[in-house]
Amino acid sequence: MVDEEAIEELIIDLFEGELNEAGFQQLQTLLKQDPRAKQIYREYALVHNALELQAQAVDPLAQKVVPIELIIQRQRKKQVKWAAVATAAILLVAMMGLRFMQFEPNAVSASFEVSPGARYALSHVEGESEGENLLREGSRLELSQGVVEVVLTNGVRGVVSAPADLTLHEAGELYLARGEAWFDVPRSGHGFTVRTDELRVVDLGTRFGVAVHEDGYDEVHVYEGKVLVETSYASKDSWELGELASCRATVTGKLESIAHGEGKFLTQLPRSLPYYHWGFDQKDNVLDVGGVLQELEPIQMEWWSELQTIDGVFGQAFRSDNEHLYRGDWQGVVDEESVSIACWIKAPKGQNYVRQVVGWGRQYGFNDSETNAFYLYVEAEGGVVVPGISLGGYWVSAMTDLSDGEWHHVVFACNGSDEAIKAPAITCYIDGKVCEVKREWTERVARNADGYVEKRTAGDWRNGNPVGIFGGRWGIYNGWTDGQIGLDELYLFKGQIGAQEVERLYRDNAVEAP
C-alpha cells in the first residue's frame, strides 16, 4: 500500500525547491512504479500551476478547472509552508464562477452519437439533460463504456473510447479529463484545441489522437499533418509535432518522444462494444484472434503446449490438457472498468476439478484477500459442475449444473457495484437466460473506506498476469484432476453486455445486430 502522506511530503518539497538528491531519486522511483503516486503528483502539479498562474495575473481557467476540494485538501498537508493557498483558492474559485457565467447555455456547439451498448451521463451548465444528443458550451459527457462520435459545428469529428470524460468549452476547444480520442480536423476547424490536465494540443491541419489514462502520462499521436503541443504547467515545454510522430508529458513537466501508436485509436463508430474473439477454427496450428479490439491492441499469443481441437458448436473448438496452454501479452480490462466474458463450455462429468478457463490479473488462490484478478473458472465436485468468476478474494458462481456433458453457453457480465452487498455487480447467463448466482468472499477480503469490495484487477504495474486460456491448475492442490474442458467461441468485451447481446451470441454467434 502506497504511503500517500510520504509521497505528498516529497512532492511539496520538490515544488518548493527543498528536495535533496536522495529525495528526488526516491520520488522518481515511486512515480515510475505506482500509478497512485502519479495521480497524487498530477493533482499537486495542477494546484501548484494554477496558483503560479494566478500570481502572474493569468486566467487559470484558460488552462483548466481546478477543483476547490483538491485545493483545500492539499492545503492542509503543510499549513505553515502553504499558508497562502487558502487565499489563492478563494480567488481561483471566484474566477471560476465568473468564467462559468460566460457560457451561453442555448448555443449548440456539437452533436454526438454513441455505439450500441454504450453508457454515458450528459450534463449541461444549467443541469442534467435526458434524451438529447447535443453538446453546448460547458456540456460534460462521461462515458463509462462503449464509444462516442462527436461532430462539432466547425466540422471537427472526434471518436472517443471509454472510459472517458470530456467537456466542451466552446466549438473550437475541448477538455479531455480521461479517455482515448481521435480527431479529424478539416480546414474549417483549423486551430481546434484539446486540453488535458498535462497538455494543450492545437491543430495545425491534421488527424491526431490524444490519450489520457489515470495510470500514465498524457500522450499525443499525429497521423497526418502537424500539431502544436504544450505542457500545461507554468514553466512550459512546447513542440511542433509532425506526421507519424508521438510524444507525452513527463513527471518534470517536459515533453518526450514515444513510439508512434499506429492503430491505437478508433477512427469510426463501431457497431458493438469493443471486443476480442477466439473462434478456434485455426489453420496450420495458428489460432486467430478477431474483433474490434484486436485491431487496436493486437494480442500476441504464446504456446505452452500443443493445441487440442474437438468438434464445437460453431466449427472447431479448443480442449484443455494437463498443461498450461495459452498466454497472451494483453493485460486485460483492469481496475473498475466493466467487462464481460462469453463462451461455450463443455465440462466433463464424474470428476472433481477446478480449472481456470480464461482470465488475467493476479490470483493467489481462494484465500486471497485482494481482488486483483478476473478469471472464469469451472468447478466440479460431487457430481455437480458450475462455472464462476473469481476476482481473488471474491467470487461469483452459477447455480445451474452443467454436468450433463453437453455444450452450454456461459456469460458473466460485470459492471459497477451491487449496493445491497457492497461488491461488484456480476450477472450470469446460461444458455441465453439469466441464472441465479452464489456470491462468496473470504473473511479478510479487502474493502475500501466505504466498506465496498472493489474490482481492482491488476495490470502489469501491479505484477498482474496477462490474459491466458487454461492458464491455471487450481484443482491439483486438492488432489483433483485438471478437467479437460471444451471451449468454443470465446468473446471478451470491454463493457457489460445485456440480454439482447447475450441472445444474439447464443442463437447466432453474432455480436452486431442484423
Side-chain angles (χ1 to χ4, degrees):
M1 183 69 68
V2 62
D3 186 343
E4 296 189 9
E5 186 172 349
I7 292 174
E8 289 170 339
E9 291 289 329
L10 291 170
I11 293 171
I12 292 174
D13 286 344
L14 172 68
F15 287 141
E16 294 181 352
E18 299 178 2
L19 192 64
N20 57 30
E21 181 64 26
F24 182 77
Q25 293 301 325
Q26 181 185 0
L27 179 59
Q28 288 278 69
T29 299
L30 288 169
L31 292 171
K32 289 178 181 179
Q33 294 179 348
D34 196 296
R36 176 56 183 153
K38 292 180 184 178
Q39 182 181 353
I40 295 171
Y41 175 86
R42 292 169 70 171
E43 291 173 353
Y44 264 100
L46 175 60
V47 174
H48 180 74
N49 173 59
L51 293 176
E52 284 197 2
L53 291 171
Q54 189 272 330
Q56 298 167 16
V58 177
D59 178 7
L61 290 173
Q63 308 298 314
K64 58 181 73 70
V65 175
V66 184
I68 181 60
E69 295 86 355
L70 178 60
I71 296 173
I72 295 172
Q73 176 187 355
R74 298 315 183 204
Q75 178 240 341
R76 293 190 185 118
K77 292 299 178 179
K78 278 198 171 182
Q79 294 183 1
V80 175
K81 289 188 174 183
W82 280 30
V85 171
T87 302
I90 294 171
L91 293 173
L92 287 171
V93 172
M95 294 169 69
M96 280 188 266
L98 291 173
R99 178 64 174 270
F100 286 134
M101 289 172 62
Q102 295 172 8
F103 281 127
E104 298 179 22
N106 295 319
V108 175
S109 297
S111 62
F112 68 91
E113 181 182 357
V114 296
S115 64
R119 296 179 181 175
Y120 67 92
L122 174 64
S123 58
H124 300 300
V125 172
E126 70 272 22
E128 297 293 330
S129 175
E130 296 182 0
E132 183 179 308
N133 285 24
L134 299 174
L135 298 176
R136 301 176 174 87
E137 292 185 12
S139 295
R140 180 181 182 185
L141 182 64
E142 297 173 87
L143 186 70
S144 58
Q145 70 177 44
V147 182
V148 61
E149 181 181 62
V150 179
V151 179
L152 280 67
T153 53
N154 60 8
V156 174
R157 185 173 70 90
V159 179
V160 186
S161 299
D165 184 350
L166 60 93
T167 302
L168 189 64
H169 284 179
E170 53 186 304
E173 182 174 311
L174 183 146
Y175 168 64
L176 186 65
R178 187 183 186 189
E180 294 186 346
W182 174 88
F183 300 97
D184 182 4
V185 184
R187 289 186 177 180
S188 57
H190 186 77
F192 170 70
T193 301
V194 177
R195 294 183 183 273
T196 75
D197 283 347
E198 297 178 343
L199 297 174
R200 174 175 177 265
V201 185
V202 181
D203 159 75
L204 301 177
T206 187
R207 291 187 177 96
F208 67 98
V210 179
V212 180
H213 302 294
E214 292 184 347
D215 59 328
Y217 300 111
D218 300 352
E219 302 176 2
V220 180
H221 301 261
V222 179
Y223 295 93
E224 184 178 317
K226 56 186 178 180
V227 298
L228 176 66
V229 184
E230 294 180 341
T231 55
S232 297
Y233 302 114
S235 54
K236 295 184 182 300
D237 192 10
S238 177
W239 288 10
E240 189 174 284
L241 206 62
E243 188 169 329
L244 303 183
S246 302
C247 71
R248 69 180 177 190
T250 68
V251 67
T252 60
K254 300 297 182 181
L255 295 170
E256 67 177 8
S257 295
I258 58 174
H260 184 61
E262 186 64 35
K264 181 178 177 66
F265 300 88
L266 284 174
T267 60
Q268 300 290 335
L269 196 66
R271 296 179 61 188
S272 70
L273 289 173
Y275 68 95
Y276 288 107
H277 173 224
W278 289 261
F280 303 114
D281 296 312
Q282 75 288 337
K283 297 178 181 179
D284 302 323
N285 211 36
V286 175
L287 188 60
D288 291 331
V289 184
V292 174
L293 281 175
Q294 181 66 7
E295 301 174 9
L296 298 177
E297 305 173 50
I299 294 180
Q300 302 295 326
M301 304 298 289
E302 178 185 32
W303 291 101
W304 283 45
S305 66
E306 186 177 352
L307 177 67
Q308 295 188 27
T309 58
I310 58 176
D311 291 335
V313 182
F314 297 93
Q316 289 184 314
F318 194 19
R319 186 175 69 181
S320 64
D321 63 5
N322 293 328
E323 300 292 336
H324 296 280
L325 287 176
Y326 245 161
R327 176 170 291 180
D329 56 356
W330 181 58
Q331 291 296 325
V333 179
V334 300
D335 284 334
E336 79 285 2
E337 292 184 50
S338 302
V339 58
S340 301
I341 294 179
C343 61
W344 287 89
I345 287 177
K346 187 175 184 179
K349 54 186 177 180
Q351 305 174 26
N352 288 343
Y353 57 85
V354 182
R355 188 65 195 250
Q356 289 181 15
V357 178
V358 61
W360 55 88
R362 190 174 71 237
Q363 175 78 59
Y364 290 136
F366 285 116
N367 290 318
D368 198 344
S369 64
E370 300 295 330
T371 51
N372 291 319
F374 198 86
Y375 285 94
L376 170 64
Y377 65 88
V378 175
E379 180 177 9
E381 183 176 10
V384 177
V385 179
V386 296
I389 286 288
S390 171
L391 274 65
Y394 172 72
W395 54 98
V396 176
S397 57
M399 298 290 285
T400 299
D401 184 6
L402 308 185
S403 63
D404 58 4
E406 301 295 329
W407 285 102
H408 292 277
H409 192 246
V410 176
V411 177
F412 283 93
C414 177
N415 179 60
S417 293
D418 186 324
E419 297 295 329
I421 62 172
K422 295 188 174 182
I426 299 178
T427 304
C428 176
Y429 300 81
I430 302 293
D431 295 333
K433 304 298 182 182
V434 174
C435 169
E436 290 187 23
V437 297
K438 178 174 66 174
R439 296 176 173 87
E440 300 176 273
W441 49 82
T442 64
E443 293 182 357
R444 57 193 184 90
V445 67
R447 297 178 181 269
N448 65 18
D450 297 320
Y452 284 80
V453 176
E454 296 180 306
K455 176 179 173 292
R456 301 188 64 253
T457 319
D460 55 356
W461 63 88
R462 292 205 304 270
N463 300 317
N465 291 319
V467 65
I469 299 175
F470 297 130
R473 305 171 65 192
W474 292 337
I476 61 174
Y477 301 112
N478 298 323
W480 294 354
T481 67
D482 281 309
Q484 293 190 326
I485 309 294
L487 178 64
D488 198 11
E489 302 302 337
L490 169 64
Y491 291 84
L492 301 180
F493 292 88
K494 272 192 172 182
Q496 184 187 42
I497 61 175
Q500 291 184 342
E501 293 90 345
V502 172
E503 181 70 13
R504 280 198 297 270
L505 289 170
Y506 174 58
R507 297 294 181 188
D508 306 316
N509 190 35
V511 173
E512 299 177 0

